[in-house]
Amino acid sequence: MILCRKIAKTAIFVNRRHNFCLNFAKFSTNTDIQDEKPSEQLEEILKKCEKKIIYSSYLERLVPKMSFVQKKIHDDKLKKQQYLELIEQQSYKQFPVALKFLEEETYQAVVEPKKEIIEETSVEEEENKYQKYHIPFSKAKKIWTEEKPEEKLEETIEKSEKLKEWMRDYEFYDEDEEDLGHLSEYGTPNPAIPISRVPCGGCGAHLHCADASLPGYIPSEIFTRCKKDELTTIVCQRCHFLKNYNTAINVTVTPEDYINIISSIQNKKALAVLMVDLLDMENSIWPGIQNLLGSRRPIIVVGNKVDLLPRDSPGHLNHVKKCVEKAIIEAGFLEENIKHIGLISATTGFGVESLITKIHHIWGSKGDVYIVGCTNVGKSSLFNSLLQSDFCNSEASNIVQRATASPWPGTTIRLLKFPILRPSDHRLYRRVLRLKQDEKINQEENTLRQIQANKTKNREYATLIGHIGRTFIPSKERHKDPFSVNLGSGNEKNVIPVVNENHEDYMHSKWCFDTPGVVHNEQILNLLTTEELLKVLPKEMINPRTYLFKLGMSLFLAGLARIDFLEGPDFVRAQIYSSRELPTLITKTQDADEMYETLYGSKILGVPFGSDERLAEFPKLRPAEETITVEGIDNTVNCADILLSSAGWLGISAAPAKKATFRVWTPEGRGIVLRQPALIPYGILLKGKRIRGSFAYKETEPFVSFRVPKSPKE
């Protein structure tokens, strides 16, 4: 009986793996990325290695989820469609009786072969045409027509002149908390719109409206109205500010310049706000930064992106805070210098008001405040949040430009800053009164969101959010003397308001600085392209993916990481914490090298992708010098995490006292760290039932059910 069950299970696994490749041709979808391998070529690759693929999340999504009856109906429709296509291919189309019914080009080719024919370019040729442009672009492209070319040229020039001023109003707005009209001034991103193939004339990044933190960004309100020819006449948001206002949006520098900038803080009386990326904690702390800041520097540690972490238990924030404290001390910081550890989300505003209150009580107005940290930790997002809060001088908040960070190392730029509002006793008292009023509203809203999360199981209602209010509303009248600078044209549009540091209102002010970011040498962010970063960086609460990881198997996380299970029990449970856009693949360790070489650059591994030259330049996976051994605690607890650089991490759950040994691979062996205890220890409880015939488990909501407080009447 036992033997029959084993044979049946083996048959299920074989059939499921075989169906991956059989269904690939039927259910594969076209891709918007031109450089990825076409489906035909990928299908040929799958035929060669289908027996070696134990599990693939990419192929799993191609298998339709339907009942037996639905599958039968679908197969019948598919067979009928294939039959009709076969009949159509075998039949011959009738030739038209008169040549005049042919297309115009064909008619000219037959009747008037001596005349020149203007061939229309195909879509691929049109895309390649823009890739041939080199920065910077020359003058705007002129469009000529045979009929009235002067009118067409004037229309084109008029459009180009308008597009040159596409961000002229970004610095002229009245920020009012109750008025959301200013959002249209800044523009909004739209990740659903594909990235264009037109490079920016200033930096070369492909223009897009997907994410404001990535190079090549243009607000969706402008991007969607521009045609390809019109896109060649403008530059991205970052280059626009660099050229016109001498303000860098992409605040990143090289490691050498970063050291010089941070070292200049040593001789100043200032508070350092050290930001840490909770999704890449150990690799987002610059090595030796405690020496650059000084041994006596007071530090407030801020763990950002807490809204993206799964909520595995009611008190998960306390555990995350302890993990941050442990990582900071292991990085070399003295415990007496750490004045506070806070968890925030600079995107949703969670924890920002509490952070402002802590800075007021701990530091007050003793000196300046510097926001420091690596790239992609959210420094500029926090800078923008503080700029529109009680931490900034109310009058200056309407004038200082917002900043946008980017994960790439770039040109050295000056520090962005704004004057800090002096926290006097009277101001603090008024702020406390406002916070108490807001707290009642926030509690009611959180209770409603918890009820909605339990009912709908929607992660949006479980995401941590907060409201950043303002006690002191700035006046709408601006002081021209300290804030305004005339560029000499006499046009009101060219008047750019700035803060005059020499004015009497700001001569004795303390300032908050947004320092440049730098890529940690253990991160892989600087190796990725814009399209790849959109896939690697999570945008919503992470839903862990759980797998039954057996001895002698290898688990791939896209083409960015590989984990080999070398020694230990028969199996452990492995949880991947990463972006959903990164596919996973399980195969035998003895076949892992061959699978990596065969599927490298394909959609099955996902990232990296691109042309053959791009794939050849990207660093190949390399194992860490030493293996990693973990010891299980309980089947319901993750005993440790294995960090996979910026791609994510792997949580391991094993039986008590069972030791498991792994070999871990990343590009150039970067960012491989063993973290104990696990950041999300009870994440294993978020898994669903095991999928029959698969090594994967079903996914559930990435949060536990909330205990909604009962009303007094109940």
Side-chain angles (χ1 to χ4, degrees):
M1 186 62 115
I2 297 176
L3 180 61
C4 293
R5 288 181 180 177
K6 290 184 177 180
I7 294 175
K9 289 183 178 180
T10 304
I12 292 173
F13 280 114
V14 173
N15 289 334
R16 188 175 187 87
R17 182 171 57 188
H18 184 61
N19 288 336
F20 282 156
C21 302
L22 291 179
N23 289 300
F24 174 77
K26 301 179 183 178
F27 305 106
S28 60
T29 55
N30 294 328
T31 177
D32 295 331
I33 306 300
Q34 292 183 349
D35 296 333
E36 287 194 21
K37 297 181 179 179
S39 299
E40 295 79 4
Q41 185 177 356
L42 184 57
E43 187 178 356
E44 294 179 0
I45 295 175
L46 285 173
K47 291 180 181 179
K48 299 178 182 178
C49 59
E50 63 172 307
K51 295 182 180 180
K52 298 179 181 180
I53 298 178
I54 298 177
Y55 174 83
S56 171
S57 62
Y58 175 79
L59 298 178
E60 177 76 19
R61 288 197 295 268
L62 299 181
V63 179
K65 305 297 186 296
M66 57 183 67
S67 64
F68 176 79
V69 177
Q70 291 174 334
K71 187 176 186 303
K72 185 67 170 60
I73 297 174
H74 180 273
D75 292 342
D76 292 341
K77 290 183 179 179
L78 186 62
K79 290 180 180 179
K80 184 177 180 180
Q81 181 181 357
Q82 292 176 350
Y83 175 75
L84 294 176
E85 291 177 355
L86 181 62
I87 296 299
E88 185 179 358
Q89 292 175 2
Q90 293 178 351
S91 62
Y92 294 95
K93 296 182 180 180
Q94 295 181 354
F95 192 80
V97 177
L99 290 177
K100 65 180 181 180
F101 293 111
L102 288 173
E103 295 180 0
E104 185 178 359
E105 285 188 23
T106 307
Y107 178 79
Q108 292 179 354
V110 177
V111 181
E112 300 175 346
K114 296 182 180 180
K115 292 186 177 181
E116 296 181 0
I117 301 173
I118 302 176
E119 297 180 356
E120 294 183 0
T121 57
S122 63
V123 177
E124 295 181 358
E125 292 174 348
E126 189 71 15
E127 298 292 349
N128 295 331
K129 180 176 66 175
Y130 293 105
Q131 294 180 356
K132 295 179 181 178
Y133 282 92
H134 295 279
I135 57 174
F137 283 123
S138 58
K139 296 181 180 179
K141 187 177 179 181
K142 299 180 181 179
I143 303 175
W144 296 87
T145 58
E146 295 181 359
E147 298 180 359
K148 298 181 180 180
E150 293 80 11
E151 295 182 3
K152 189 66 177 180
L153 179 60
E154 292 177 0
E155 182 181 352
T156 304
I157 295 176
E158 183 179 358
K159 288 183 179 180
S160 301
E161 293 298 328
K162 290 181 179 180
L163 289 171
K164 288 180 181 178
E165 299 178 345
W166 59 278
M167 291 179 65
R168 64 183 184 275
D169 297 329
Y170 271 38
E171 290 77 25
F172 303 92
Y173 65 95
D174 293 327
E175 186 95 40
D176 191 352
E177 186 179 6
E178 298 180 356
D179 183 16
L180 300 179
H182 67 278
L183 294 177
S184 60
E185 298 287 346
Y186 279 100
T188 54
N190 189 349
I193 300 178
I195 298 174
S196 73
R197 311 308 297 180
V198 181
C200 169
C203 63
H206 289 165
L207 298 177
H208 66 91
C209 62
D211 192 338
S213 64
L214 300 178
Y217 170 76
I218 296 176
S220 60
E221 289 80 359
I222 300 168
F223 185 84
T224 54
R225 294 200 304 263
C226 293
K227 299 180 180 179
K228 293 179 181 178
D229 291 323
E230 294 173 338
L231 286 177
T232 61
T233 65
I234 62 178
V235 294
C236 68
Q237 188 185 59
R238 171 182 177 269
C239 297
H240 176 84
F241 277 98
L242 278 172
K243 179 180 179 181
N244 294 285
Y245 308 119
N246 196 27
T247 300
I249 295 180
N250 181 9
V251 282
T252 54
V253 295
T254 60
E256 293 77 13
D257 294 331
Y258 180 78
I259 293 176
N260 296 331
I261 293 174
I262 300 301
S263 299
S264 62
I265 307 176
Q266 291 184 355
N267 300 326
K268 298 180 180 179
K269 187 176 182 180
L271 172 71
V273 177
L274 176 62
M275 294 199 67
V276 177
D277 185 358
L278 295 177
L279 305 183
D280 193 15
M281 193 184 308
E282 285 75 7
N283 295 326
S284 63
I285 304 175
W286 180 259
I289 191 173
Q290 70 281 359
N291 298 326
L292 299 178
L293 295 175
S295 58
R296 298 182 179 179
R297 176 74 51 207
I299 296 172
I300 290 180
V301 182
V302 176
N304 191 27
K305 303 182 183 180
V306 68
D307 59 311
L308 302 180
L309 295 179
R311 306 179 68 169
D312 61 333
S313 62
H316 77 293
L317 293 181
N318 294 328
H319 177 74
V320 172
K321 189 177 295 186
K322 292 179 181 179
C323 292
V324 174
E325 182 179 6
K326 182 175 180 294
I328 289 296
I329 294 176
E330 290 178 351
F333 287 90
L334 299 178
E335 192 171 355
E336 55 268 20
N337 292 345
I338 303 175
K339 304 303 179 181
H340 174 67
I341 297 178
L343 303 179
I344 70 165
S345 172
T347 303
T348 65
F350 176 82
V352 176
E353 287 282 20
S354 299
L355 176 63
I356 296 173
T357 302
K358 285 293 182 181
I359 296 177
H360 281 161
H361 287 288
I362 294 174
W363 188 245
S365 57
K366 298 178 183 178
D368 297 333
V369 176
Y370 287 83
I371 305 175
V372 298
C374 294
T375 58
N376 198 41
V377 297
K379 298 187 306 301
S380 293
S381 298
L382 178 61
F383 179 85
N384 294 334
S385 298
L386 297 178
L387 180 62
Q388 304 300 324
S389 68
D390 289 340
F391 195 66
C392 176
N393 185 287
S394 57
E395 297 297 332
S397 63
N398 272 347
I399 302 169
V400 179
Q401 297 176 7
R402 293 188 178 187
T404 306
S406 173
W408 282 271
T411 307
T412 305
I413 47 89
R414 62 182 178 85
L415 303 180
L416 301 177
K417 63 179 181 179
F418 64 78
I420 300 174
L421 181 68
R422 184 178 179 181
S424 61
D425 294 340
H426 173 66
R427 288 171 176 169
L428 291 178
Y429 175 72
R430 290 180 57 187
R431 171 177 165 79
V432 170
L433 293 179
R434 179 185 66 81
L435 290 178
K436 287 184 177 180
Q437 293 177 355
D438 294 345
E439 185 178 1
K440 297 180 180 179
I441 301 176
N442 294 336
Q443 287 180 353
E444 294 178 357
E445 182 179 350
N446 290 333
T447 301
L448 178 61
R449 287 174 59 84
Q450 291 174 4
I451 296 174
Q452 292 174 325
N454 292 337
K455 183 178 180 180
T456 64
K457 305 301 181 184
N458 191 339
R459 72 185 68 186
E460 293 183 2
Y461 298 119
T463 302
L464 297 173
I465 64 172
H467 298 283
I468 305 174
R470 174 168 288 178
T471 307
F472 314 100
I473 306 299
S475 62
K476 295 185 178 181
E477 296 181 358
R478 294 175 178 171
H479 306 284
K480 295 184 179 180
D481 292 338
F483 303 141
S484 300
V485 176
N486 195 325
L487 298 182
S489 63
N491 189 354
E492 187 179 355
K493 295 180 180 179
N494 292 328
V495 178
I496 304 174
V498 295
V499 175
N500 187 354
E501 301 177 22
N502 297 323
H503 192 269
E504 58 182 4
D505 293 342
Y506 299 99
M507 290 181 61
H508 304 289
S509 295
K510 307 303 179 182
W511 299 81
C512 178
F513 292 89
D514 179 17
T515 63
V518 65
V519 176
H520 195 292
N521 54 6
E522 295 295 328
Q523 293 179 320
I524 60 172
L525 295 175
N526 59 330
L527 303 177
L528 304 174
T529 62
T530 304
E531 294 89 345
E532 291 168 348
L533 277 170
L534 288 173
K535 293 180 177 292
V536 172
L537 301 180
K539 301 300 181 184
E540 59 182 1
M541 183 184 294
I542 296 176
N543 200 344
R545 292 172 282 176
T546 310
Y547 303 99
L548 188 69
F549 201 14
K550 287 194 173 184
L551 188 65
M553 289 184 176
S554 295
L555 173 64
F556 284 91
L557 176 59
L560 303 177
R562 166 185 161 187
I563 304 96
D564 301 337
F565 189 5
L566 302 180
E567 298 177 358
D570 293 337
F571 70 91
V572 296
R573 288 182 177 86
Q575 280 194 313
I576 290 290
Y577 293 83
S578 69
S579 170
R580 285 284 304 172
E581 298 296 326
L582 296 182
T584 57
L585 174 71
I586 299 178
T587 185
K588 292 183 179 180
T589 303
Q590 60 187 14
D591 301 327
D593 292 337
E594 180 184 353
M595 297 295 293
Y596 177 69
E597 294 295 333
T598 304
L599 301 175
Y600 181 69
S602 68
K603 290 182 284 188
I604 296 181
L605 290 184
V607 179
F609 57 82
S611 62
D612 294 337
E613 296 179 357
R614 156 68 182 158
L615 296 176
E617 294 175 355
F618 193 85
K620 296 297 180 66
L621 297 182
R622 193 175 66 189
E625 296 181 358
E626 299 180 356
T627 59
I628 294 178
T629 302
V630 300
E631 184 175 354
I633 300 175
D634 191 277
N635 289 328
T636 60
V637 177
N638 287 332
C639 58
D641 292 335
I642 300 177
L643 265 68
L644 308 173
S645 190
S646 307
W649 71 89
L650 182 75
I652 303 295
S653 175
K658 296 290 185 180
K659 294 185 178 181
T661 302
F662 304 90
R663 181 188 293 114
V664 186
W665 308 58
T666 56
E668 297 180 344
R670 296 189 185 186
I672 301 174
V673 180
L674 175 63
R675 177 169 58 200
Q676 292 178 323
L679 183 64
I680 311 294
Y682 300 103
I684 198 68
L685 299 178
L686 300 176
K687 67 177 179 63
K689 295 182 179 180
R690 185 177 170 187
I691 301 174
R692 185 182 181 187
S694 174
F695 286 91
Y697 289 82
K698 294 181 179 179
E699 297 181 12
T700 60
E701 62 277 1
F703 57 92
V704 294
S705 298
F706 295 94
R707 296 180 180 177
V708 181
K710 297 182 179 180
S711 60
K713 295 181 180 180
E714 299 177 350

